[in-house]
Amino acid sequence: MSESTEHSGQKFVYDFTEGNRDLKDLLGGKGANLAEMTNLRLPVPPGFTITTEACRVYLDSGSEPPALRDEVSAHLDALERHMGKKLGQADDPLLVSVRSGAKFSMPGMMDTVLNIGLSDASVAGLAQQAGDERFAWDSYRRLVQMFGKTVLGVDGELFEEALDEAKAAKGVTDDTDLDAGDLRALVKAFKGIVTERTGREFPQDPREQMDLAVRAVFDSWNGDRARLYRRQERIPGDLGTAVNICSMVFGNLGPDSGTGVAFTRDPASGQQGVYGDYLQNAQGEDVVAGIRNTVPLADLETIDKASYDRLMEIMETLENHYKDLCDIEFTIERGRLWMLQTRVGKRTAGAAFRIATQLVDQGLIDEAEALKRVNGAQLAQLMFPRFDENATVELLGRGIAASPGAAVGKAVFDSYTAVKWSRSGERVILIRRETNPDDLDGMIAAEGILTSRGGKTSHAAVVARGMGKTCVCGAEDLDVDTKRRRMTVGGTVVEEGDVVSVDGSTGKVYLGEVPVVPSPVVEYFEGRMHAGADDADELVVAVHRMMAYADRVRRLRVRANADNAEDALRARRFGAQGIGLCRTEHMFLGERREMVERLILADTDEERTTALEQLLPLQRQDFVELFEAMDGLPVTVRLLDPPLHEFLPDITELSVRVALAEAREDHNENDLRLLQAVHRLHEQNPMLGLRGVRLGLVIPGLFTMQVRAIAEAAAARKNAKGDPRAEIMIPLVGTVQELEIVRDEAEQVMAEVAAATGVALRLALGTMIELPRAALTAGQIAEAAEFFSFGTNDLTQTVWGFSRDDVEASFFTAYLEKGIFGVSPFETIDRDGVGALVRSAAAAGRATRPDLKLGVCGEHGGDPESVHFFHGVGLDYVSCSPFRIPVARLEAGRAAVLSRHGADSGR
Ligand code: ADP
Ligand code: MG
Ligand code: MG
C-alpha cells in the first residue's frame, strides 16, 4: 500500500479486510460493517472501500485526490488477482457493484449500481462462464438501466416503460419470462435511450464505468434530498460519503440462486426466530421492490437446506457479535451463500424494550447498555391507546405516522363541518389534501387529522404534534375530493359521515370503527397491571425493568405539572417526585369567574377586599386537596399568570349583548361596566402585556390573597399531621426589584398566618425564568429567589420573538421545510439560543446562591432530547405533564448513563 499513499501520507482506500465497525466515520456504515463481517470470516464477496476523506477532498476541490486513481488501481489489481479475473475481461469478466455508504444512512444518496464491468464485449464471456445466456443479458440490461438512471441521470421511467413494452409484446408479466433474445433486444433499446438522452454511448470501458459511478456517488452527497435531510437531522454537511466496490455475486443465475433480507429477531416483537423474505432467481433490490412475490425466509429451508443452515449460523454469530438485533442482505449464488450487508436493525417500540431486556438475560449486555437501547419516544408510543389487534379491520391505506395516537371518527372534509359536527357531540376525523392555517379550528375540533399530501414537516404534521393530536399525513393512495366531500381509495369511496379510524403510530388508515384498547403500559403505570404477576404481559415486564433501572441511575428528579388533586395523584402513580408547576388560573374559572369579574370591576378598596375574601377560602381548599395528594413532596404553586381579560367575557359577545340591551332600552349597569373593563384591558399583544408579576404589582391584594391561601392550606395540613411542602413561584419576573416587592409582601403574609395559626411555616419563594432579561440578570434575581424554574415555553417565545399560536400555524412549515430548524423549538429546546440562556442563568444563579434549586417546567421538561440537555446543564429536576413523567424518568436515566460513558445523546 505504501506506494499509493506516499504523496499525502493519507490512505484513501481500504480493503474489506482492513476495516472494522468502529471506522464508520471513515468507511461509512456499510463499509465498516462489510469489513467487520469480513474479519469475522463470514462469506463477504471481496472488495474495498473508498473513504469519506477522499469524498471530502473531491467536494472541497472539485476533483478526486490525485493519489486516488493509483490507489484504486492497486486495490483493483489485488482484487483481480484474488478473483483470478479482470474487471470486464471479455472471456470471463470480473463484475463489481458500486455502493454509496455514509456514516448515517440517508435518503437521496446514489442508488447502488450492480454489474459494473459488463459491456458488449464481455456479455458473451459472462454467458459462456455461467453457461447461461439469459443470465448474462439480464445482468447487462440491469447495468444499463441502473447506470443510465443513477450515474447518467436518465429518467428511470423510460427504462421501465421499455421493459413493460417488452413484456407486453411477449404477453408475459414477469421479467423472468423474458428469454435471452428478449433481453438482448432490451439492452439495445436501453442503450438507445441512453444515447438519445445523454448524447453519448453507454460507456464500454469497465474502468470508466467504475470511475463514473464513484464520482456519481460523491456528487450525490450534495443532491437536494440529501442536503435537506441533513439540515433537518442536523447531520454536518461536510462528512462526505464512502464508496464501496464489491465483487458481484449473482442471485439471478436460476432457481438455485436468489436474494433475500432477514432480521436476526422479529423487529416487531423482538421474538427470536426466522424473519425475512427470499426471492429465487433475483438480483439486488428485486426482493424489496415487489416485482414478484417473495417467500418467507422459513421456506428457504426446503428450497436450499444447506444455505439455510449456514444463514442461521451466521445470524447467530452476528447477534452474539453485535449484541443486538441485526438486519442483513444476502444472496445465494448456485447454492452458495454470500453476505452483502448487515447493520443494527430498526425495530418497533415494543420490540426495543423486549430485546433490551432479553439481551440482558442472555448475558450479552448489561443494564446500562440496555438503557441506551430504548428511548422516551418509544415509551411514549407505547403509552398511546391503540387499536385492538384482534379486531377485524379493513385497511384503506397508509401514510406517514406524523403524530401518534388512535383516533376514530366520522370523515369530514372541511374545517367548518368539523367544528359544526364536533359541537353537536360527534367525533370527527378531518381529511384534507393538505392543511393550512385556515384549517386550525377544524384541527382543534377533530379527533384526528388525515392528509394525502405532505411529509413529517407539513403543516398538518407540525400543528397536530403541537396539539398532541393524532395525525397521518401524506397518505398518497387516498384521493381526497374536498369539493364533493369524499375520498376514493382503490375502488372504495368514503363519503362525508362515514367512520374511519386513523393510527398515528403506524400511519395506517382503516374504514369503519376499529375498537380502541388502553395501552397495557399505561395500565401498568396506573397500577392496574402488575409486572410481578404470573400472567404479566412481557412488554410490561420489560418496561418495568427498564424504568426501575433508569430510576436507580438518574440524577434529575422528575416532577409533574398538575393543578388539581386528581392529576396530582395520577402523577404520583406515574412516579412524580413533586409538582413543579401548579397553575392557579384554573382556580379562577367556572363559577368563580363572577368573583373575578367583581375583583376587576371593583372601584373601591372595600369592594376589592370583599371579592378577594370570597376567593380566599375556595383557593385554600384547592391547595389543601393538592397538598394532601402530594403529601411529603414539594409542590410549586405559581401565582396568577395570564392577563385578566382572559377571565372576562369575549369582547364581541359582550358588545352585542350591550347593544341589544340598549336597543331594548334595558340598560344593564353591570354589563356596561364590564364592557368598559374589557376595553380597558384589551391588549394588542397580551403575551407581552399586563400579566404575571405585573398583575400582582398592579392589582392590590391579589398575590397576597393567593399567598395567604397557600400558607393557610399548608398550616391546615400540618395541623392534620400532614407534611405539606409548598413552594411559591412568581411568574414573568424581568428584574429583581419586582421580585423583592412581591417577596416582602409574601413574607409578611406568611408571618401573619404563622402567628394566627401557631404553625411554623417555611415556604420557599422563587421565580420563573422566562424572559431574556431575567435570564441575563439571573445573578441578581437569585438574591431574592430560593429557586428558579425555567419556563421554557415563554422563554422560547420571547427569545425567538415567536408568538407560538401564530407561528406554528402559519410559517413553521416553511421554516421546517427550508431546514432552518429540524424540529420546532417548542418541541425540543433550542440548545444554542434558549438553551444557552438557561445554561448561563443557571450558572449565574448558583454563583449568587450555591444552594439555588433549579428546575424546568416548560413542555420541554417531557421531551427526550431536552431532558438530556437539562441533565447536562445541571438542573435539579424537570417538570412535565403527568402523562410524560415516565418518558422523563427514562430519559433522565439514559442521560445519566450516556454522560457517564462520555457519549453524546445526539441522534
Ligand atoms: P442500499 O444502501 O440501498 O441497501 P446496497 O448497496 O445494499 O444499497 O445495494 C442494493 C442491493 O444490491 C441490495 O439488495 C444488495 O444486497 C445488492 N448488492 C449490492 N452489492 C452487491 C454485489 N456485489 N453482489 C450482489 N448483490 C449486491
Ligand atoms: Mg437503496
Ligand atoms: Mg443494502
Side-chain angles (χ1 to χ4, degrees):
M1 233 60 27
S2 54
E3 73 275 8
S4 58
T5 52
E6 64 195 356
H7 305 292
S8 57
Q10 229 164 5
K11 178 171 159 64
F12 290 117
V13 184
Y14 283 67
D15 191 86
F16 287 170
T17 53
E18 294 176 303
N20 67 63
R21 69 166 151 171
D22 296 325
L23 295 181
K24 290 199 180 71
D25 285 333
L26 194 62
L27 304 179
K30 197 181 283 171
N33 285 321
L34 280 167
E36 188 78 11
M37 287 201 291
T38 303
N39 294 334
L40 284 170
R41 305 198 175 282
L42 299 184
V44 176
F48 52 86
T49 302
I50 299 171
T51 64
T52 56
E53 180 60 41
C55 178
R56 284 194 290 273
V57 172
Y58 174 83
L59 294 173
D60 285 346
S61 66
S63 55
E64 288 84 356
L68 184 63
R69 191 176 168 83
D70 285 349
E71 219 182 316
V72 168
S73 298
H75 281 269
L76 187 57
D77 276 351
L79 182 64
E80 289 174 339
R81 272 197 307 277
H82 181 93
M83 304 297 286
K85 46 185 161 184
K86 292 199 167 295
L87 185 69
Q89 179 182 321
D91 61 341
D92 183 9
L94 167 67
L95 304 183
V96 298
S97 61
V98 174
R99 321 166 66 183
S100 69
K103 177 176 182 188
F104 305 107
S105 98
M106 66 179 80
M109 298 299 293
M110 195 189 84
D111 284 339
T112 291
V113 182
L114 305 176
N115 308 332
I116 294 236
L118 266 183
S119 61
D120 295 350
S122 60
V123 66
L126 182 66
Q128 175 96 47
Q129 288 297 326
D132 186 340
E133 208 183 338
R134 182 196 177 280
F135 153 75
W137 285 101
D138 183 48
S139 302
Y140 196 18
R141 74 93 188 156
R142 287 169 189 269
L143 171 65
V144 182
Q145 181 172 1
M146 285 188 271
F147 194 95
K149 181 177 162 201
T150 61
V151 180
L152 302 176
V154 178
D155 180 2
E157 294 276 314
L158 297 171
F159 299 112
E160 293 294 341
E161 280 161 18
L163 179 59
D164 286 342
E165 273 166 31
K167 287 193 282 191
K170 202 160 192 214
V172 300
T173 52
D174 281 353
D175 59 318
T176 40
D177 294 327
L178 298 177
D179 63 22
D182 304 324
L183 291 163
R184 182 203 300 259
L186 203 53
V187 166
K188 191 158 177 242
F190 280 6
K191 287 201 295 187
I193 293 173
V194 168
T195 314
E196 190 196 310
R197 292 285 148 167
T198 65
R200 54 168 293 184
E201 302 274 310
F202 175 78
Q204 293 292 322
D205 173 12
R207 179 66 195 262
E208 188 190 358
Q209 290 175 2
M210 192 174 106
D211 290 342
L212 285 173
V214 170
R215 178 175 289 183
V217 172
F218 285 166
D219 283 332
S220 73
W221 176 260
N222 277 331
D224 289 345
R225 256 191 348 131
R227 288 165 81 131
L228 178 62
Y229 181 82
R230 286 199 299 269
R231 222 180 309 145
Q232 290 179 343
E233 298 293 315
R234 310 225 172 140
I235 296 173
D238 56 2
L239 295 179
T241 179
V243 189
N244 303 290
I245 313 285
C246 183
S247 51
M248 285 301 301
V249 290
F250 299 100
N252 53 340
L253 268 171
D256 58 352
S257 305
T259 176
V261 292
F263 294 90
T264 55
R265 337 180 156 221
D266 184 355
S269 72
Q271 233 96 49
Q272 273 182 297
V274 186
Y275 299 94
D277 299 297
Y278 183 67
L279 187 61
Q280 276 171 278
N281 198 10
Q283 194 176 39
E285 306 261 328
D286 290 358
V287 66
V288 288
I291 55 156
R292 275 180 274 141
N293 284 336
T294 58
V295 300
L297 184 60
D299 290 7
L300 181 61
E301 190 168 14
T302 31
I303 297 171
D304 180 351
K305 175 99 168 75
S307 296
Y308 176 84
D309 289 345
R310 180 80 179 107
L311 184 64
M312 291 301 124
E313 207 181 295
I314 288 173
M315 278 169 38
E316 196 182 322
T317 307
L318 284 175
E319 264 230 348
N320 289 330
H321 183 72
Y322 283 88
K323 304 183 192 314
D324 206 344
L325 170 148
C326 298
D327 68 24
I328 59 178
E329 292 173 5
F330 66 92
T331 279
I332 296 174
E333 177 181 317
R334 294 198 165 143
R336 182 142 180 224
L337 176 69
W338 294 95
M339 301 298 294
L340 289 167
Q341 190 174 334
T342 192
R343 67 191 152 191
V344 167
K346 297 219 159 56
R347 64 209 67 192
T348 63
F353 278 85
R354 290 202 192 95
I355 292 172
T357 50
Q358 285 162 5
L359 294 172
V360 171
D361 293 339
Q362 283 176 252
L364 284 173
I365 60 174
D366 63 12
E367 284 175 311
E369 179 60 30
L371 208 44
K372 295 190 210 163
R373 304 278 183 90
V374 295
N375 63 52
Q378 291 164 338
L379 182 61
Q381 252 194 40
L382 295 174
M383 291 177 68
F384 282 99
R386 42 170 119 150
F387 290 127
D388 188 352
E389 280 167 16
N390 303 317
T392 39
V393 292
E394 187 182 331
L395 188 66
L396 269 180
R398 190 173 188 153
I400 296 165
S403 178
V408 182
K410 292 189 171 167
V412 294
F413 295 89
D414 63 293
S415 248
Y416 176 77
T417 315
V419 172
K420 198 171 85 185
W421 288 19
S422 88
R423 286 223 175 112
S424 57
E426 300 275 12
R427 292 182 303 165
V428 299
I429 303 289
L430 179 64
I431 305 173
R432 306 281 291 163
R433 259 188 218 131
E434 48 202 336
T435 60
N436 63 49
D438 294 339
D439 292 315
L440 203 60
D441 291 342
M443 296 174 78
I444 293 169
E447 297 289 310
I449 296 142
L450 172 61
T451 67
S452 58
R453 297 216 194 117
K456 270 206 143 100
T457 57
S458 64
H459 181 268
V462 175
V463 176
R465 271 202 302 278
M467 297 194 288
K469 193 149 288 196
T470 302
C471 175
V472 169
C473 60
E476 289 174 2
D477 300 342
L478 315 185
D479 188 2
V480 177
D481 186 345
T482 47
K483 286 227 177 67
R484 295 165 71 189
R485 298 165 178 254
R486 63 201 243 176
M487 66 173 172
T488 355
V489 198
T492 315
V493 180
V494 178
E495 305 274 0
E496 182 178 80
D498 292 349
V499 173
V500 292
S501 302
V502 175
D503 190 335
S505 311
T506 61
K508 288 184 182 163
V509 183
Y510 305 97
L511 185 61
E513 168 158 4
V514 181
V516 173
V517 294
S519 140
V521 173
V522 169
E523 295 292 284
Y524 153 72
F525 285 124
E526 285 286 10
R528 290 193 286 263
M529 196 182 262
H530 295 279
D534 288 341
D535 60 345
D537 182 305
E538 200 197 329
L539 174 62
V540 164
V541 177
V543 169
H544 170 74
R545 287 175 58 186
M546 298 314 296
M547 294 306 296
Y549 186 62
D551 285 343
R552 270 209 309 285
V553 295
R554 70 187 157 94
R555 182 187 62 70
L556 273 179
R557 298 172 78 78
V558 177
R559 296 197 196 176
N561 298 350
D563 313 335
N564 55 54
E566 192 192 327
D567 283 356
L569 287 171
R570 158 177 273 182
R572 247 191 135 136
R573 289 193 297 275
F574 279 30
Q577 294 162 293
I579 288 181
L581 176 63
C582 164
R583 301 180 175 89
T584 52
E585 45 269 26
H586 299 105
M587 301 174 180
F588 287 74
L589 294 173
E591 49 206 41
R592 301 180 190 178
R593 206 181 180 127
E594 250 176 70
M595 297 173 202
V596 180
E597 278 179 19
R598 251 172 278 160
L599 174 68
I600 297 170
L601 299 180
D603 281 334
T604 63
D605 283 351
E606 212 186 332
E607 279 173 13
R608 188 175 302 115
T609 314
T610 319
L612 288 169
E613 273 172 0
Q614 281 178 317
L615 279 165
L616 176 66
L618 302 171
Q619 285 251 289
R620 184 170 56 219
Q621 189 52 32
D622 293 332
F623 293 130
V624 167
E625 287 166 21
L626 197 64
F627 297 160
E628 186 174 0
M630 276 286 154
D631 197 60
L633 296 176
V635 176
T636 306
V637 180
R638 179 181 72 186
L639 304 188
L640 197 65
D641 180 37
L644 284 179
H645 73 86
E646 287 201 7
F647 302 98
L648 295 179
D650 178 76
I651 190 161
T652 337
E653 266 171 43
L654 190 61
S655 307
V656 171
R657 195 158 87 208
V658 169
L660 286 176
E662 296 208 320
R664 290 196 305 267
E665 303 213 344
D666 159 22
H667 298 284
N668 181 327
E669 188 61 23
N670 202 49
D671 276 0
L672 265 178
R673 285 178 63 205
L674 207 51
L675 186 60
Q676 278 167 1
V678 173
H679 276 297
R680 183 161 33 87
L681 293 171
H682 180 76
E683 292 173 322
Q684 291 300 332
N685 197 338
M687 186 188 99
L688 302 175
L690 178 60
R691 50 172 285 216
V693 68
R694 304 162 189 172
L695 266 185
L697 293 171
V698 167
I699 311 268
L702 176 63
F703 274 14
T704 42
M705 180 279 287
Q706 290 201 290
V707 171
R708 187 175 294 277
I710 296 166
E712 288 180 358
R717 284 295 306 149
K718 277 216 164 151
N719 280 333
K721 300 272 175 290
D723 183 9
R725 308 255 175 108
E727 301 171 338
I728 296 170
M729 180 156 79
I730 316 300
L732 216 75
V733 163
T735 162
V736 69
Q737 282 85 352
E738 291 167 320
L739 189 59
E740 280 167 354
I741 298 174
V742 175
R743 194 184 65 166
D744 289 348
E745 286 174 1
E747 278 174 352
Q748 198 187 328
V749 172
M750 290 191 272
E752 281 167 26
V753 173
T757 57
V759 178
L761 286 170
R762 182 64 217 102
L763 307 187
L765 202 127
T767 183
M768 291 186 73
I769 302 287
E770 52 188 336
L771 291 175
R773 192 179 192 288
L776 293 167
T777 59
Q780 294 168 12
I781 290 180
E783 282 167 15
E786 287 164 80
F787 63 86
F788 286 173
S789 178
F790 291 95
T792 50
N793 295 347
D794 267 316
L795 194 57
T796 302
Q797 295 203 93
T798 51
V799 167
W800 280 88
F802 282 160
S803 152
R804 180 173 186 176
D805 293 339
D806 296 325
V807 297
E808 274 192 343
S810 60
F811 65 83
F812 258 32
T813 299
Y815 263 45
L816 288 158
E817 266 163 15
K818 290 187 196 302
I820 293 170
F821 30 67
V823 52
S824 158
F826 292 106
E827 265 179 65
T828 294
I829 188 129
D830 150 37
R831 289 180 181 230
D832 299 341
V834 179
L837 275 182
V838 170
R839 185 191 296 275
S840 66
R846 283 222 168 108
T848 300
R849 189 190 286 261
D851 63 347
L852 184 74
K853 233 200 285 179
L854 297 174
V856 60
C857 62
E859 270 164 67
H860 302 99
D863 168 67
E865 246 200 74
S866 310
V867 169
H868 289 250
F869 175 78
F870 298 133
H871 171 90
V873 298
L875 301 195
D876 296 304
Y877 69 87
V878 295
S879 187
C880 56
S881 72
F883 217 68
R884 296 294 292 183
I885 285 171
V887 171
R889 284 165 57 201
L890 185 73
E891 288 294 350
R894 284 172 36 77
V897 166
L898 286 165
S899 59
R900 190 165 74 202
H901 293 246
D904 187 42
S905 61
R907 57 185 66 87

